[in-house]
Amino acid sequence: MSIRCFCMGTYPWSLWPTLPGLRGLLVLGLILGLQTASSNAFYLPGLAPVNFCEVNGETNYCQSSVELYVNRLDSVESVLPYEYNTFDFCHDFKKQSPSENLGQVLFGERITSSPYEFSFNKSETCVKVCMKSYDTAKEDQKKKLDFLKKGIQLNYQHHWIIDNMPVVWCRDINGGNKYCTTGFPIGCFVPQSGEPSDACFMHPEFNKTNTYYIFNHVDITITYHSENEVDWYVSKLVSARLEPKSYKHVDENHLTCNGTPMEIPGDYTDKLNIIYTYSVKFEENKQIRWGSRWDYILESMSHTSIQWFSILNSFVIVLFLTGMVAMIILRTLHKDIIRYNQEDIQKDYGWKLVHADVFRPPRLGMLLSILLGQGTQVLIMTFITLFLACLGFLSPANRGALMTCSVVLWVLMGASAGYVSAKVYKSFRGLKWKTNFLLTALLCPGVVFVDIFIMNLILWIEGSSSAISFGTLVGILALWFGISVPLTFLGAYVGSFQKFDYPVGTNQIPRHIPHQDFIRRPLFSIIIGGVLPFGCIFIQLFFILNSIWSHQMYIMFGFLFLVFIILLITCSEATILLCYFHLCSEDYHWWWRAFLTSSFTAVYFCLCSLLLR
């Protein structure tokens, strides 16, 4: 069986050389197992390639029509995305929208058909799509024009799709490199100060102050790869690029697609006509195969060396903490035990003095058990999601799969939350296991749902495409109460009736805790304890947040999975170290301190996301 057949749908397996060496271990067993299978090709359901052929050769095995879909428009300068049809562009009156999964809906994707439609391998030049007319004397048309100008000023970006591939816009930057993005701007604006926006830098003729330049023309280049399959000579699309341009078309019946740019003065009060056009050409490429067609998106992603530096930095921190823990366990603790067992040592000291208080139930034990249960649920969900993403099942080609998988796994992991919460709560000698179950199932998810509902209400008011429909909210509630809550109850029931015994007993009277200096007080140790884990993930966090805020794809799941494992190890070792130091100072209130030491990393995470935004 050829490696080409094992392309897992449209996931770019050729990107894996840029991912960690983990890929070899994950794929080797699968490839070896597939060697004994049939030599026929297979693809994941729903991700099989589409065959194209020219109009005169169209059959049931291939199609000649190349459709272009449009997604929502977003901006790095605004948090509100909008649907394509919210702006007054050329609309497809048939409006055929592909079905969207839960992940796409939650991410606010709104994919719909467009009036741009091409015939395979048929190049066209300066084809008219539509004309939009505006009369500023009419209120409705003035509002449409003002909204379009606002979108240009805020640098809103188009996102187009051809054959499930994002259409990218590549431009030259310093050093002869190319920078490619999956979106391109509506236009650009030159303010009164004369400092043009990003897109206006590329065109010297965009130099009039207080003027909007709209990109009403696109040059599209579609690359394909042809090969023989099942006695048919068919082609598959392997890339799609475009270059936005601005032309002021004088006569819609005689279009030339050259000349002066289409400009809209900031104080324009007359009638205005905007004609939208396109040119398309097809090119054959015999080197790029369909299984590696996503490679061209990585042309501007030169972050691999930086991310390897991040992994190395995190690994050094892990080695340091591991050495510290090993030193404590193998030297200090072992030495203490030897001294403790000697007959001439009669007096206990340090951590041995609190052995009868160390398992004393903490304050707010029910709340701690609830948070531990929910944390376990999220931890398992995250681990499985990242593992599947490393295998390629949650690739960017399968839109919305990452979020859908996360939601489904969170729902199914309700049993683990109930079990851990009930088991921990019982170890605290708690008796209200039913209350514990209800709070585990409703408290944290309820807070998240209320937060989502409030933000969604704001998005509804603003008319953003990210607003979740009422039916989707009902569906989320059905998943929560219909699946997650019963599974949480099942786990809580099992965990509540399992016997749990501590290795040592607990004194009736709590031991007095000596005065602790500032360094050993809870607040200081919690703040310091979150620094090392955050240092391990900072560089990776930067790339993730940069992808989110700039609306770019994040595909470095191999790096992310390794950093996630390193984060778990670092959090565990930092907590062990600090707990040992506190027990040595005869402070046995370690439950909440251990939980908050690692949890405080999330505070740094939140602050970093706000600063990077």
Side-chain angles (χ1 to χ4, degrees):
M1 178 179 185
S2 66
I3 301 300
R4 178 187 60 79
C5 298
F6 187 70
C7 58
M8 304 299 287
T10 56
Y11 183 71
W13 282 87
S14 61
L15 306 186
W16 278 44
T18 65
L19 302 180
L22 174 68
R23 65 181 178 89
L25 296 177
L26 296 176
V27 179
L28 180 59
L30 293 173
I31 294 180
L32 291 177
L34 288 167
Q35 296 301 320
T36 58
S38 171
S39 61
N40 295 327
F42 82 97
Y43 300 94
L44 289 180
L47 295 180
V50 178
N51 297 320
F52 291 91
C53 53
E54 298 183 12
V55 176
N56 54 3
E58 186 171 9
T59 64
N60 294 330
Y61 189 68
C62 64
Q63 66 182 50
S64 61
S65 176
V66 180
E67 297 180 343
L68 187 148
Y69 288 89
V70 291
N71 204 344
R72 63 178 185 178
L73 284 86
D74 48 41
S75 170
V76 295
E77 301 179 23
S78 174
V79 296
L80 298 175
Y82 291 99
E83 291 187 38
Y84 177 84
N85 293 333
T86 305
F87 291 89
D88 193 31
F89 298 126
C90 299
H91 297 166
D92 182 17
F93 296 102
K94 297 179 294 183
K95 197 177 180 180
Q96 300 175 350
S97 300
S99 58
E100 296 176 336
N101 54 42
L102 179 62
Q104 289 177 284
V105 174
L106 294 179
F107 271 133
E109 290 195 7
R110 299 294 182 268
I111 301 175
T112 185
S113 57
S114 74
Y116 299 85
E117 188 170 350
F118 323 116
S119 295
F120 176 74
N121 212 15
K122 180 183 178 182
S123 298
E124 298 177 286
T125 303
C126 205
V127 179
K128 176 187 173 183
V129 183
C130 73
M131 183 177 71
K132 294 294 181 178
S133 300
Y134 303 95
D135 186 354
T136 55
K138 297 181 179 179
E139 187 64 23
D140 58 335
Q141 295 185 14
K142 185 177 183 299
K143 286 183 178 179
K144 291 180 180 180
L145 183 60
D146 290 341
F147 190 72
L148 182 62
K149 289 158 65 175
K150 180 183 177 182
I152 295 175
Q153 188 172 2
L154 293 176
N155 196 28
Y156 269 84
Q157 307 270 323
H158 285 285
H159 294 277
W160 289 3
I161 303 168
I162 292 180
D163 192 29
N164 200 34
M165 290 186 303
V167 183
V168 299
W169 172 40
C170 296
R171 55 190 186 273
D172 295 328
I173 58 176
N174 295 333
N177 297 321
K178 281 193 174 185
Y179 178 75
C180 299
T181 60
T182 56
F184 66 96
I186 298 174
C188 63
F189 174 63
V190 181
Q192 290 283 5
S193 61
E195 297 180 1
S197 60
D198 292 339
C200 286
F201 276 114
M202 303 178 302
H203 303 278
E205 63 271 21
F206 296 173
N207 51 22
K208 293 184 180 180
T209 60
N210 193 28
T211 303
Y212 299 87
Y213 296 92
I214 184 168
F215 293 133
N216 59 334
H217 177 85
V218 288
D219 288 333
I220 303 174
T221 302
I222 300 175
T223 308
Y224 64 93
H225 176 85
S226 299
E227 57 186 13
N228 286 314
E229 282 193 5
V230 197
D231 299 327
W232 290 93
Y233 192 73
V234 294
S235 302
K236 299 180 179 64
L237 305 186
V238 294
S239 73
R241 291 182 172 88
L242 62 74
E243 183 178 354
K245 295 182 178 180
S246 178
Y247 296 126
K248 186 175 183 179
H249 301 292
V250 179
D251 186 358
E252 63 175 317
N253 297 320
H254 298 85
L255 302 173
T256 58
C257 291
N258 56 35
T260 59
M262 183 67 210
E263 58 187 43
I264 308 174
D267 52 357
Y268 192 80
T269 57
D270 202 355
K271 293 183 180 180
L272 178 69
N273 293 326
I274 302 177
I275 300 176
Y276 291 89
T277 57
Y278 73 87
S279 297
V280 61
K281 65 178 179 179
F282 290 81
E283 296 179 349
E284 183 178 7
N285 189 310
K286 297 183 179 180
Q287 281 73 39
I288 303 177
R289 302 181 69 87
W290 185 84
S292 58
R293 66 177 188 164
W294 284 70
D295 287 7
Y296 72 104
I297 299 178
L298 292 179
E299 287 185 0
S300 63
M301 297 184 181
S302 57
H303 307 146
T304 307
S305 59
I306 300 177
Q307 299 208 40
W308 276 117
F309 174 77
S310 170
I311 297 292
L312 182 61
N313 173 66
S314 303
F315 188 68
V316 170
I317 295 177
V318 169
L319 288 179
F320 170 74
L321 289 176
T322 303
M324 291 287 291
V325 173
M327 181 185 68
I328 290 174
I329 294 177
L330 298 180
R331 290 189 56 188
T332 311
L333 191 59
H334 181 66
K335 184 177 179 180
D336 289 345
I337 293 175
I338 293 176
R339 292 183 58 188
Y340 182 75
N341 292 329
Q342 290 178 357
E343 296 182 358
D344 56 337
I345 301 297
Q346 301 295 330
K347 185 178 180 181
D348 292 337
Y349 67 95
W351 59 270
K352 294 184 289 296
L353 294 173
V354 297
H355 73 278
D357 293 275
V358 73
F359 292 114
R360 190 176 302 280
R363 301 184 183 94
L364 302 176
M366 179 175 287
L367 178 61
L368 179 60
S369 63
I370 292 169
L371 295 177
L372 289 174
Q374 285 292 330
T376 303
Q377 184 178 8
V378 174
L379 175 65
I380 299 175
M381 174 205 74
T382 306
F383 181 85
I384 298 177
T385 301
L386 291 180
F387 183 75
L388 292 177
C390 285
L391 292 178
F393 290 98
L394 307 179
S395 70
N398 195 357
R399 300 179 183 276
L402 186 67
M403 176 60 74
T404 303
C405 179
S406 299
V407 173
V408 172
L409 284 174
W410 180 85
V411 170
L412 297 178
M413 293 301 112
S416 62
Y419 178 81
V420 172
S421 179
K423 191 81 177 283
V424 173
Y425 181 66
K426 186 178 180 181
S427 70
F428 295 157
R429 305 180 186 91
L431 301 176
K432 301 178 181 179
W433 72 272
K434 296 179 181 178
T435 304
N436 176 262
F437 146 69
L438 289 174
L439 290 176
T440 302
L442 302 177
L443 181 61
C444 293
V447 172
V448 174
F449 184 82
V450 170
D451 183 36
I452 292 175
F453 182 80
I454 294 174
M455 291 190 297
N456 197 61
L457 191 61
I458 298 174
L459 294 173
W460 271 339
I461 296 173
E462 295 293 334
S464 173
S465 66
S466 291
I468 303 173
S469 65
F470 178 77
T472 304
L473 289 176
V474 173
I476 294 175
L477 287 175
L479 290 174
W480 180 13
F481 287 98
I483 301 178
S484 180
V485 172
L487 288 176
T488 305
F489 173 77
L490 178 63
Y493 182 82
V494 175
S496 298
F497 292 95
Q498 286 191 352
K499 188 176 180 181
F500 184 86
D501 294 324
Y502 287 121
V504 295
T506 304
N507 289 336
Q508 295 292 332
I509 301 175
R511 179 181 177 82
H512 172 70
I513 299 177
H515 175 74
Q516 304 290 317
D517 54 22
F518 177 75
I519 296 179
R520 296 186 178 182
R521 288 183 181 178
L523 181 60
F524 179 81
S525 61
I526 289 172
I527 294 176
I528 296 301
V531 172
L532 286 177
F534 178 74
C536 292
I537 65 171
F538 172 73
I539 297 179
Q540 195 69 29
L541 178 63
F542 171 81
F543 289 112
I544 296 173
L545 294 177
N546 186 61
S547 299
I548 294 174
W549 300 142
S550 59
H551 309 287
Q552 298 296 318
M553 291 184 179
Y554 184 86
I555 57 176
M556 302 296 184
F557 295 114
F559 283 116
L560 185 59
F561 186 73
L562 279 181
V563 171
F564 175 71
I565 299 299
I566 291 174
L567 176 64
L568 295 181
I569 298 173
T570 308
C571 287
S572 303
E573 294 181 340
T575 303
I576 292 172
L577 279 174
L578 291 176
C579 279
Y580 176 78
F581 292 147
H582 293 312
L583 291 177
C584 287
S585 62
E586 303 179 29
D587 184 357
Y588 52 84
H589 292 156
W590 64 275
W591 294 96
W592 276 106
R593 185 175 293 178
F595 177 80
L596 294 175
T597 296
S598 298
S599 301
F600 206 79
T601 305
V603 177
Y604 294 115
F605 186 103
C606 180
L607 294 176
C608 180
S609 63
L610 293 176
L611 293 175
L612 292 178
R613 182 67 179 95

